[in-house]
Amino acid sequence: MNDTIIGIHHLNVTHAGTPILKDVNLEIPRNRVTVILGPSGCGKTTLLKCLNRLIDIYNGLDVSGQIYLDGEEILNRRNDLTRIRQKMGLLSQRPYPLPMSIFDNVAYGLKIQGLRNRDELADRVEFYLRQVNLWEEVKDRLKSPATRLSIGQQQRLCLARGLAVEPEIILADEPTSALDPLSSTCIEEQFMKLKRDYTILIVTHIMRQARRLADHVIFIYLGEVIEQGTPTQIFDHPQHPTTKQYLRVGH
Amino acid sequence: MRRKNIEERIFKSLAAAATYLIIAVLLFLIVVILKNGLRALDWGMLTKVPQGGFYFGEEGGILNAIVGSFYLALGATFLAFIIGLPVALYMNIHLLRQRFWLNRIRFLLDVLWGVPSIVYGAFGFTLMLLLGLRASLLAGILTVTLLIVPIMIRSMDEVLQTIPRGLLESAYALGSTRSEVAIKVYIRQALPGVITALLLSFGRGIGDAAAVLFTAGYTDYIPTSLNQPTATLPLAIFFQLSSPIPAVRERAYASAVVLTVIILIVSLAARLLSAKYREHVIK
Amino acid sequence: MHRRKIIDRLISGWMAAGLFFVLMIPLAIGLGLVLKSLPILKILALPELLGGSIWKPLSGQFGFKPFILSSVYVTLISFLIAGPVCLLSAIYLTQYASRRLLSLMQPVIDILAGIPSVVYGVWGVLVIVPFVIRLAELREVAISGYCLLSGGIVLAVMSIPFILNILIEVIQAIPIELKEASLSVGASYWETIKWVLLRAGFSGIMAAFGLGISKALGETIAVLMVVGNVVQIPQSLFEAGYPLPALIANNYGEMMSIPLYDSALMFGALILFVIIVLFNGLARLAINHGERYR
Ligand SMILES: Nc1ncnc2c1ncn2[C@@H]1O[C@H](COP(=O)(O)OP(=O)(O)OP(=O)(O)O)[C@@H](O)[C@H]1O
Ligand SMILES: [Mg+2]
């Protein structure tokens, strides 16, 4: 049961000498929801970006340490980033649909993988749009630009886009912070559903959401992991004074 | 997978090649201009006006054109400044809340910036006849002013736009009138931008040939009043280059060096000055 | 207290007057050029003027086709060179290159943009004309070197800093999250550029090209110095052309004595003005629209 999918060892990220993440050591359990908490600017987004190596596209950040994905070291390896990234779907704070049609947004990753067969593409697009409960709303306008959808719909579309490449892990960075309560609930329900088949890492500032979703909670403060454990441990019996204070204010 | 990588490699190398090509062209251009120009450049060229036989390759220099160009560009920059600064201030203080009109004004100025100088030249010529002027320093200054006013306004406007609103509000709170705000607060805040705008416009004014072709005339003397025609550096280069006599063409190359060096100094000064003044500005 | 108010009124009035004056410039130019072209428009019909290919001012024949075509050709050549080079370079500078190269490039662009037209002309005469002669020799054609191709190349070099500058801005304005989204589903850099960045920046890129083209159309002295200036409909790259701005610049001195010549040249300026304002306006609209979209 204590199966680890991602192992992070001595991860350090600095920008021009200033540390952003300090000696982070973590084990992320497989097929569980891990919630990352912490005040703004503590390095949560940076941590997620290290996992799928999007950190590479920012100039001036130095990264050191090791990250093991299924036992394979991914941080210091140069080759085949694309395969590693396909193992992780990303859902960001605000939805960023690609500048193409709804259909092509979902099909994009599949086409990148080399899938060309039209019928199969159509089948898979429908499948993933159904999975995120978007199919009924968009089936008549698959060819229209994705930017015309509402924000909540766009976020679900982005989830479908990420799921379509069949990742093992979903990285979600405050996925509901730009959404209205109803769309938030909708996304949250998706996560509950996806929980069985995926490993989910989610950053959130909403305590109640964290409580509802979490199997495992990590608390980061100023770039350091200062406390982690089960939701009961963290929410009901926090040990560290900073965690206590954060939870008190957050409630 | 293979093919994708090869495609990426090819395009990446092409893109790198394009970039280095641009740098190489700039270096090449400067080297060619300097190499050809410095040969013919001597002290006499910078300090004398054309003497008898100058256009057959004998004694003389291009002082008339150098001084003429400075007069012209300074005059035009001054006029454009007198018109441009108030307009830029007006847009950013009085019209601050009129987004609709502001957008349209900016759009119009951007389009004006794109109108080629030959059109300004033709228009300036018409205007000159209408005002009863003849080709002269004054007519040249007026035409170049029209040309650089949009540049002046837009580049000052870009700087003024970055001034925080809070500054305006706190100045009002102290009981300042709008023009006091403009003069005491905005101009000081925008000083680096204003200087950059001045130098940019000056550089554009001194380098432009098509606008002064019909309006400034050409003469071997240094003008002593606004009503006299004046030589300009771009035209000096242009006329000398079209001469069949090699010695005269050599002088065109030398004149090109003079003009290029002036422009380089101006743009360097713009960079340095605006970097220096920026230290005193509230961000 | 009273005096301050009056001074405020005066200064504000001066400012408003300046604005009014500036806003009148385009109107005045347009109106002036139209009025001046009226005499020729009264005598010759528009299709005759634009489509006629005979230019004999002495006998009252004013066909603008050779000049318009020359302008179009020269601009096209310059665009075919400058467009791809700028797009590739902008992609390289914003996506692949180090910060240092990008900041090194800024002064290069500034200097190239600041060099006066006439200096480009000198450079064209010194470098491009002999180069084109050599090029023609390879194909066993003997030419003077003052031709469309030379004009196009010089123009291309002149438009590069201009187009490149806008392209870099356009690409940098695309939100980095779009790039992240594409990379995170396993796309390579190149696929991301090709399918996402170029699409997201499409209107901006087109606008940059539009501005570049309109600048090239109006460029005068540099082109005039290398393009040959022969009234003909050029049949090949190595033949001389005679673009509109060169026509105006070359003939202003002598025009007074010939009837209608003056008016014809003003009509030429009017064509330029209208085309360039249109191009410019559309491109600016596209850029502004793109900004709002984001
Ligand atoms: N590309 C970068 N260059 C420089 N500093 C960066 C960069 N990215 C992040 N930082 C810095 O690293 C720190 C952590 O940022 P990060 O975005 O990871 O915070 P966060 O925990 O996600 O905050 P929030 O909850 O507000 O999203 C911040 O101080 C930020 O300024
Ligand atoms: Mg964050």
Side-chain angles (χ1 to χ4, degrees):
Chain A
M1 215 47 202
N2 258 341
D3 184 6
T4 302
I5 184 164
I6 302 175
I8 303 173
H9 301 287
H10 305 295
L11 178 68
N12 279 286
V13 180
T14 56
H15 172 74
T18 344
I20 295 175
L21 288 178
K22 286 180 250 177
D23 194 35
V24 172
N25 291 285
L26 284 173
E27 314 260 289
I28 310 291
R30 187 187 299 275
N31 291 5
R32 289 283 181 278
V33 178
T34 302
V35 169
I36 304 175
L37 296 176
S40 182
C42 67
K44 306 179 296 292
T45 303
T46 311
L47 178 62
L48 289 194
K49 282 184 181 160
C50 285
L51 297 181
N52 60 5
R53 300 254 323 245
L54 277 180
I55 198 91
D56 292 12
I57 65 176
Y58 294 92
N59 280 313
L61 295 181
D62 298 313
V63 186
S64 68
Q66 294 95 39
I67 296 176
Y68 293 93
L69 172 62
D70 283 329
E72 179 193 4
E73 214 287 317
I74 58 167
L75 202 52
N76 301 311
R77 284 257 312 270
R78 290 229 113 244
N79 52 5
D80 223 2
L81 269 181
T82 58
R83 193 174 48 81
I84 294 166
R85 289 194 181 126
Q86 279 179 348
K87 285 191 179 179
M88 305 184 212
L90 175 74
L91 206 57
S92 52
Q93 204 160 346
R94 276 180 49 204
Y96 280 93
L98 300 171
M100 43 188 86
S101 70
I102 295 172
F103 182 92
D104 286 337
N105 257 277
V106 184
Y108 182 75
L110 298 167
K111 286 183 185 165
I112 294 281
Q113 287 181 335
L115 184 65
R116 287 275 172 273
N117 184 317
R118 282 200 177 185
D119 295 334
E120 204 181 335
L121 272 178
D123 281 351
R124 297 252 229 138
V125 170
E126 178 174 344
F127 177 78
Y128 290 108
L129 285 175
R130 277 189 195 284
Q131 197 171 6
V132 298
N133 276 343
L134 194 59
W135 176 254
E136 294 300 327
E137 292 160 57
V138 301
K139 65 180 179 197
D140 301 321
R141 46 172 174 153
L142 288 172
K143 290 283 167 248
S144 67
T147 38
R148 298 233 184 99
L149 295 174
S150 76
I151 300 287
Q153 290 171 324
Q154 286 183 14
Q155 190 64 308
R156 276 181 279 154
L157 180 70
C158 289
L159 183 57
R161 178 180 70 198
L163 293 178
V165 291
E166 299 186 336
E168 297 169 26
I169 303 163
I170 295 169
L171 308 174
D173 190 357
E174 301 180 38
T176 60
S177 62
L179 306 184
D180 63 287
L182 216 63
S183 308
S184 292
T185 319
C186 185
I187 289 279
E188 219 176 281
E189 276 165 9
Q190 306 301 323
F191 281 134
M192 295 302 245
K193 211 167 73 184
L194 295 168
K195 210 167 155 164
R196 271 171 285 142
D197 308 315
Y198 297 88
T199 304
I200 299 175
L201 253 99
I202 171 169
V203 172
T204 181
H205 285 300
I206 308 165
M207 285 312 132
R208 261 173 281 153
Q209 185 177 55
R211 234 173 227 267
R212 280 194 296 266
L213 288 170
D215 296 315
H216 186 74
V217 181
I218 296 169
F219 188 79
I220 303 183
Y221 184 69
L222 293 178
E224 279 176 285
V225 176
I226 59 173
E227 194 160 1
Q228 57 173 314
T230 62
T232 346
Q233 280 170 346
I234 299 289
F235 291 121
D236 299 335
H237 311 287
Q239 301 297 313
H240 201 285
T242 317
T243 323
K244 283 181 190 162
Q245 195 193 353
Y246 181 79
L247 291 174
R248 202 167 48 237
V249 178
H251 270 293
Chain B
M1 212 58 204
R2 258 284 145 74
R3 241 199 57 221
K4 274 206 238 173
N5 282 337
I6 292 173
E7 190 183 313
E8 170 142 24
R9 285 266 172 82
I10 292 175
F11 274 95
K12 191 176 163 185
S13 335
L14 274 178
T19 307
Y20 291 110
L21 178 76
I22 293 173
I23 298 177
V25 164
L26 174 74
L27 292 178
F28 185 44
L29 198 140
I30 291 185
V31 166
V32 167
I33 294 294
L34 287 182
K35 199 180 125 239
N36 285 278
L38 289 180
R39 247 183 326 184
L41 193 64
D42 56 38
W43 196 239
M45 270 204 66
L46 300 178
T47 53
K48 288 183 192 154
V49 298
Q51 315 282 309
F54 178 71
Y55 296 103
F56 301 98
E58 283 163 36
E59 267 296 276
I62 51 161
L63 186 66
N64 58 329
I66 298 175
V67 175
S69 266
F70 266 98
Y71 282 171
L72 195 113
L74 281 176
T77 309
F78 176 72
L79 271 188
F81 179 70
I82 298 222
I83 303 167
L85 182 67
V87 173
L89 288 171
Y90 192 79
M91 284 166 64
N92 285 283
I93 295 173
H94 296 68
L95 297 182
L96 193 60
R97 289 181 211 295
Q98 321 271 331
R99 283 236 67 90
F100 177 86
W101 289 110
L102 264 186
N103 285 338
R104 267 153 193 75
I105 293 171
R106 293 205 171 108
F107 174 75
L108 200 77
L109 288 170
D110 284 339
V111 172
L112 260 184
W113 192 332
V115 171
S117 54
I118 186 77
V119 171
Y120 281 106
F123 176 71
F125 184 77
T126 314
L127 201 66
M128 180 179 101
L129 295 183
L130 199 75
L131 297 177
L133 295 171
R134 57 194 186 98
S136 60
L137 185 56
L138 181 63
I141 287 178
L142 290 179
T143 311
V144 175
T145 302
L146 291 180
L147 177 75
I148 62 181
V149 141
I151 304 174
M152 183 85 89
I153 298 176
R154 273 304 266 138
S155 38
M156 291 196 293
D157 177 39
E158 290 289 335
V159 188
L160 290 174
Q161 276 184 62
T162 64
I163 294 181
R165 280 233 186 146
L167 207 59
L168 181 69
E169 273 146 24
S170 52
Y172 280 151
L174 293 173
S176 314
T177 60
R178 290 202 281 199
S179 41
E180 281 166 351
V181 170
I183 292 164
K184 291 188 185 143
V185 183
Y186 269 52
I187 295 185
R188 185 166 313 160
Q189 281 295 308
L191 200 59
V194 170
I195 292 173
T196 313
L198 278 174
L199 288 169
L200 200 74
S201 312
F202 180 82
R204 179 78 200 267
I206 207 167
D208 202 274
V212 292
L213 193 55
F214 331 122
T215 51
Y218 199 86
T219 159
D220 284 352
Y221 305 102
I222 295 172
T224 50
S225 89
L226 283 172
N227 288 323
Q228 289 173 3
T230 180
T232 51
L233 263 176
L235 291 186
I237 299 170
F238 179 58
F239 292 143
Q240 293 178 98
L241 194 69
S242 43
S243 158
I245 300 164
V248 177
R249 283 214 300 275
E250 293 277 311
R251 286 206 189 116
Y253 306 150
S255 315
V257 171
V258 176
L259 183 56
T260 310
V261 168
I262 293 175
I263 295 279
L264 288 184
I265 290 175
V266 167
S267 67
L268 196 70
R271 266 177 182 275
L272 291 180
L273 278 177
S274 65
K276 183 165 170 277
Y277 276 103
R278 202 152 287 165
E279 292 163 12
H280 306 288
V281 173
I282 302 170
K283 282 260 165 65
Chain C
M1 208 57 203
H2 223 74
R3 233 188 63 203
R4 278 178 62 202
K5 279 247 170 68
I6 294 175
I7 292 177
D8 185 45
R9 283 272 165 78
L10 281 177
I11 293 181
S12 297
W14 172 240
M15 290 170 154
L19 181 63
F20 179 75
F21 171 77
V22 171
L23 296 184
M24 282 300 108
I25 295 178
L27 210 70
I29 294 181
L31 205 67
L33 293 181
V34 167
L35 283 179
K36 279 287 199 170
S37 344
L38 274 184
I40 194 157
L41 284 169
K42 265 184 206 146
I43 293 181
L44 296 165
L46 210 52
E48 245 179 295
L49 279 170
L50 297 178
S53 42
I54 298 167
W55 181 262
K56 281 188 184 145
L58 282 174
S59 53
Q61 284 172 297
F62 297 97
F64 275 92
K65 197 171 166 194
F67 308 104
I68 294 174
L69 278 182
S70 291
S71 271
V72 170
Y73 290 156
V74 176
T75 303
L76 209 64
I77 297 168
S78 84
F79 175 69
L80 288 179
I81 301 170
V85 168
C86 288
L87 190 56
L88 282 169
S89 176
I91 288 173
Y92 186 74
L93 287 168
T94 53
Q95 305 302 316
Y96 290 113
S98 66
R99 274 264 167 87
R100 256 190 45 220
L101 187 63
L102 184 59
S103 56
L104 176 85
M105 207 60 188
Q106 214 54 57
V108 170
I109 293 175
D110 283 355
I111 294 174
L112 271 175
I115 291 177
S117 176
V118 69
V119 175
Y120 277 104
V122 171
W123 181 72
V125 171
L126 284 169
V127 176
I128 300 303
V129 169
F131 168 75
V132 169
I133 293 179
R134 196 112 16 108
L135 208 66
E137 272 167 5
L138 291 181
R139 305 187 49 208
E140 318 220 308
V141 197
I143 54 160
S144 71
Y146 292 86
C147 61
L148 287 183
L149 185 58
S150 304
I153 295 177
V154 171
L155 255 187
V157 176
M158 296 183 69
S159 356
I160 281 175
F162 190 72
I163 302 178
L164 183 59
N165 205 8
I166 308 173
L167 280 181
I168 290 178
E169 265 174 33
V170 163
I171 297 184
Q172 279 180 339
I174 300 172
I176 195 162
E177 285 84 354
L178 271 184
K179 195 169 149 187
E180 289 183 347
S182 166
L183 290 174
S184 74
V185 295
S188 67
Y189 265 86
W190 175 242
E191 284 164 330
T192 303
I193 291 166
K194 197 165 50 166
W195 302 122
V196 178
L197 294 191
L198 290 186
R199 269 191 206 207
F202 184 77
S203 66
I205 292 169
M206 287 303 121
F209 287 165
L211 290 176
I213 287 176
S214 83
K215 185 177 154 64
L217 270 176
E219 197 42 64
T220 312
I221 293 287
V223 187
L224 180 153
M225 289 163 82
V226 296
V227 81
N229 304 324
V230 177
V231 185
Q232 61 180 4
I233 292 176
Q235 305 295 334
S236 90
L237 288 179
F238 295 123
E239 277 182 31
Y242 207 159
L244 266 177
L247 168 77
I248 304 168
N250 268 336
N251 295 292
Y252 234 71
E254 65 196 73
M255 66 191 192
M256 292 322 215
S257 50
I258 308 168
L260 286 184
Y261 202 177
D262 167 33
S263 180
L265 292 178
M266 280 299 181
F267 178 66
L270 181 65
I271 302 176
L272 266 184
F273 180 72
V274 170
I275 293 178
I276 287 172
V277 164
L278 268 180
F279 253 88
N280 237 298
L282 287 177
R284 293 281 173 200
L285 278 182
I287 287 185
N288 293 351
H289 181 77
E291 274 168 8
R292 213 172 313 141
Y293 172 79
R294 263 164 233 127

